[in-house]
Amino acid sequence: MPPLPKRKYAKTRQRLRRQHLRVRRPKLVTCPECNETHQAHHICWACGSYRGRNVIELED
């Protein structure tokens, strides 16, 4: 049998311990080429550019 805790953990203590496990919203930025929002450090799916370069060709 595994060892059991000696005392009860307080709710605040549990929440502080699990603070890094939360779900975060993605960081959205505007594309300088087409002014659409896209996720930071990702390709813009509206125009296909990344950091001022055209990375993929999109069909219109």
Side-chain angles (χ1 to χ4, degrees):
M1 239 166 93
L4 297 174
K6 300 279 187 202
R7 279 182 254 126
K8 180 181 174 178
Y9 272 107
K11 289 178 186 174
T12 305
R13 200 174 172 105
Q14 286 178 356
R15 290 176 188 146
L16 286 173
R17 190 178 69 244
R18 296 180 185 148
Q19 200 169 29
H20 67 283
L21 299 176
R22 67 188 178 275
V23 176
R24 295 186 181 109
R25 280 187 263 160
K27 307 286 188 215
L28 296 178
V29 295
T30 56
C31 178
E33 305 290 325
C34 64
N35 294 325
E36 290 284 328
T37 58
H38 66 92
Q39 204 169 353
H41 307 290
H42 285 75
I43 296 171
C44 175
W45 289 107
C47 65
S49 65
Y50 179 70
R51 296 185 68 180
R53 285 181 278 184
N54 195 5
V55 180
I56 58 173
E57 294 293 327
L58 296 176
E59 297 176 7
D60 290 332

